[in-house]
Amino acid sequence: MTKTDLKVEPIPSSTKGNAVASRSELAERLYDLLSMPSWEGRELAPELEKLEKRYEACPYSELIYLLSHLRFPPDEAKHHWLSIVEHRGLMEERLGSHVDLRVALASYFVQVNRQLDNPIIIEMRLFDEARAFAYRDELTGLRNYRFLSEILPQEVLRSDQYNVPLTLIMIDIDGFKDFNDRHGHEAGNRALATIGRLITESLREVDFAIRYGGEEFALVAPSTPKIGGRILAERVRRRVESHPFAGDDGGQAESLTVSLGVATYPADATGAAELVRVADRAMYHAKASGKNRVQLYGENRRSHRRIGIELEGRFGFYHPDDHPLRTVDISEGGIRFATSQAVERGDLLDLSLRLPGLQRILTFAGRVVQVREAEGRWEAAVRIIDMPSPDRHLLAQYIRRQPAHDLG
């Protein structure tokens, strides 16, 4: 495997809610506006204000990308857009005539902000078709490695923003060279295309299927924990295993199988390139362990990183009395703490926790999922079931800043 060093580019995070669906919906709305025959750009102001109420500053990032193929974080993109509108007004004053907003945008990024050295004018439909072709694998119709190198860093940033796990599944066809040798390359190509279709049929709408190269594929599953990744991988494995593949020689159809490796960010990796490496490693472990199986990276790792640390906090049983606790370890999904107060599995707790360096106290609700008692002290594992978004974000950022020697 030679493609594991993905280029991580600063692609902006997306909007609230379903990140992939929201971004797609936003891009389609902007594309429709730009495609209107009478478009001049002046009617964009009220439309952008409407979109900004739903997507915050993201419409400006998407709009500039559609017009120039330059990527900026949302707030920076909004600043550029307002500067472009102002620049257009100055151009019209100097020229004494109307200036198309696209001309003003090109002038701004060539002469004022200097982001474009050699701009090329291309009709939008042709650009869109060329871009779509560049990101598709011709044989299978799946997205290609180039697409993965762009989308995976973007999904990692979204995972950070929304504090949700991101799962990557690497897939390799078992014994594909032998199948090719027996039946010929045409039969092999048909098998690749068929497996691509079987993989696609196994996915949700928000997942991405990629032909990584040769007989290897990748699946990107946003907002998916490791257990969800295992379920998805098993679904793909069973679909391929049960499908008959015929050769060109008219002989009896035979089976093909796949080996799959599953890894999750941020539990298994600190970035996109490392996520590919560890998922790849898990996939090779699956092949070495007998093929036609799913292997989770770090088999017992959780979807959220867990660190061992002692922090002071309080907990109660939803009544005025509360009790002190000291954490044993914490993760984005839960905490384990020690206390002198008896707790039982299934208890619903109201908890508070003070993180070092923060003035405010984090509050959340949790369910006790495991209890161990020894000599009048209890150690309880609690799964977080409700936590305000700002507090969850602070907890996630604190955990991810800690040294790498975590507990898995």
Side-chain angles (χ1 to χ4, degrees):
M1 193 78 58
T2 60
K3 297 181 179 177
T4 54
D5 295 323
L6 287 176
K7 181 181 179 182
V8 180
E9 298 179 354
I11 302 174
S13 299
S14 187
T15 56
K16 294 178 179 179
N18 186 308
V20 176
S22 294
R23 182 177 182 274
S24 175
E25 181 185 32
L26 172 60
E28 288 178 8
R29 176 60 183 145
L30 291 170
Y31 188 88
D32 288 342
L33 289 172
L34 297 178
S35 300
M36 291 190 303
S38 60
W39 186 83
E40 291 185 349
R42 298 188 189 279
E43 65 271 28
L44 273 180
E47 292 296 331
L48 286 172
E49 289 178 5
K50 294 176 186 176
L51 291 172
E52 192 173 2
K53 291 178 181 179
R54 180 176 180 184
Y55 298 99
E56 299 178 347
C58 290
Y60 301 97
S61 177
E62 292 298 325
L63 183 56
I64 291 178
Y65 181 75
L66 284 173
L67 291 172
S68 66
H69 208 49
L70 293 172
R71 275 290 189 190
F72 299 103
D75 290 338
E76 184 180 346
K78 182 177 181 179
H79 170 76
H80 284 310
W81 186 258
L82 296 177
S83 298
I84 290 165
V85 173
E86 182 180 0
H87 181 65
R88 180 194 200 184
L90 294 174
M91 291 178 69
E92 290 181 331
E93 286 181 15
R94 294 193 201 103
L95 298 173
S97 64
H98 165 72
V99 174
D100 188 287
L101 186 56
R102 288 162 290 199
V103 174
L105 179 142
S107 172
Y108 173 79
F109 283 126
V110 171
Q111 297 176 315
V112 180
N113 194 262
R114 298 187 182 279
Q115 296 282 337
L116 296 171
D117 294 325
N118 297 292
I120 298 175
I121 298 175
I122 184 172
E123 204 276 328
M124 183 175 289
R125 178 182 57 82
L126 297 177
F127 170 77
D128 200 48
E129 290 175 357
R131 185 170 183 269
F133 180 78
Y135 289 106
R136 288 285 177 182
D137 173 63
E138 185 177 0
L139 176 63
T140 63
L142 301 181
R143 291 162 170 109
N144 59 19
Y145 173 80
R146 182 178 179 182
F147 177 85
L148 178 67
S149 69
E150 290 196 13
I151 197 64
L152 194 59
Q154 183 176 355
E155 292 303 327
V156 164
L157 290 177
R158 287 175 178 156
S159 174
D160 286 337
Q161 180 178 0
Y162 297 107
N163 301 321
V164 293
L166 166 68
T167 290
L168 176 68
I169 303 171
M170 299 298 293
I171 306 170
D172 187 80
I173 304 175
D174 301 322
F176 185 71
K177 183 179 182 302
D178 293 338
F179 182 89
N180 254 351
D181 291 343
R182 287 193 302 274
H183 301 292
H185 289 292
E186 286 300 319
N189 285 342
R190 285 200 304 273
L192 287 170
T194 299
I195 288 176
R197 175 176 59 80
L198 295 173
I199 290 172
T200 301
E201 292 172 352
S202 304
L203 305 185
R204 305 167 302 174
E205 187 176 346
V206 297
D207 300 329
F208 302 101
I210 293 109
R211 186 183 179 194
Y212 194 73
E215 64 268 30
E216 299 170 40
F217 299 83
L219 303 181
V220 179
S223 304
T224 303
K226 188 169 289 187
I227 185 63
R230 181 203 286 272
I231 293 170
L232 174 58
E234 282 289 352
R235 187 158 63 238
V236 171
R237 187 194 65 77
R238 289 194 299 270
R239 270 184 175 270
V240 175
E241 180 186 38
S242 62
H243 188 88
F245 292 86
D248 283 337
D249 50 11
Q252 185 177 0
E254 61 180 270
S255 296
L256 283 172
T257 62
V258 290
S259 296
L260 307 94
V262 181
T264 301
Y265 175 86
D268 300 325
T270 58
E274 186 179 5
L275 185 61
V276 173
R277 285 194 291 271
V278 295
D280 203 43
R281 194 177 305 165
M283 182 267 289
Y284 274 111
H285 189 279
K287 295 185 79 67
S289 301
K291 303 179 181 179
N292 191 25
R293 68 187 302 266
V294 173
Q295 175 67 46
L296 305 186
Y297 179 77
E299 187 72 38
N300 296 318
R301 284 179 179 262
R302 296 167 168 80
S303 294
H304 295 291
R305 184 181 174 210
R306 182 167 55 103
I307 60 171
I309 190 169
E310 291 189 358
L311 301 174
E312 301 293 340
R314 312 281 299 181
F315 77 94
F317 299 90
Y318 281 91
H319 56 70
D321 296 335
D322 62 2
H323 311 277
L325 66 83
R326 179 177 288 273
T327 64
V328 177
D329 56 62
I330 62 174
S331 77
E332 295 173 44
I335 70 171
R336 191 155 55 100
F337 67 83
T339 179
S340 59
Q341 173 64 36
V343 293
E344 296 181 2
R345 183 175 179 178
D347 281 345
L348 188 63
L349 305 182
D350 188 9
L351 303 105
S352 60
L353 196 64
R354 183 184 295 278
L355 297 181
L358 288 183
Q359 297 301 316
R360 65 190 245 181
I361 296 175
L362 307 186
T363 59
F364 54 99
R367 178 79 67 183
V368 178
V369 294
Q370 188 177 19
V371 178
R372 185 172 61 187
E373 188 269 336
E375 298 180 356
R377 290 190 63 81
W378 283 260
E379 185 175 283
V382 174
R383 176 171 56 88
I384 296 174
I385 59 173
D386 185 34
M387 191 176 202
S389 294
D391 287 2
R392 186 177 290 276
H393 181 74
L394 288 172
L395 177 63
Q397 293 304 309
Y398 174 78
I399 290 172
R400 296 179 191 193
R401 285 196 300 266
Q402 301 311 303
H405 48 279
D406 57 275
L407 300 179

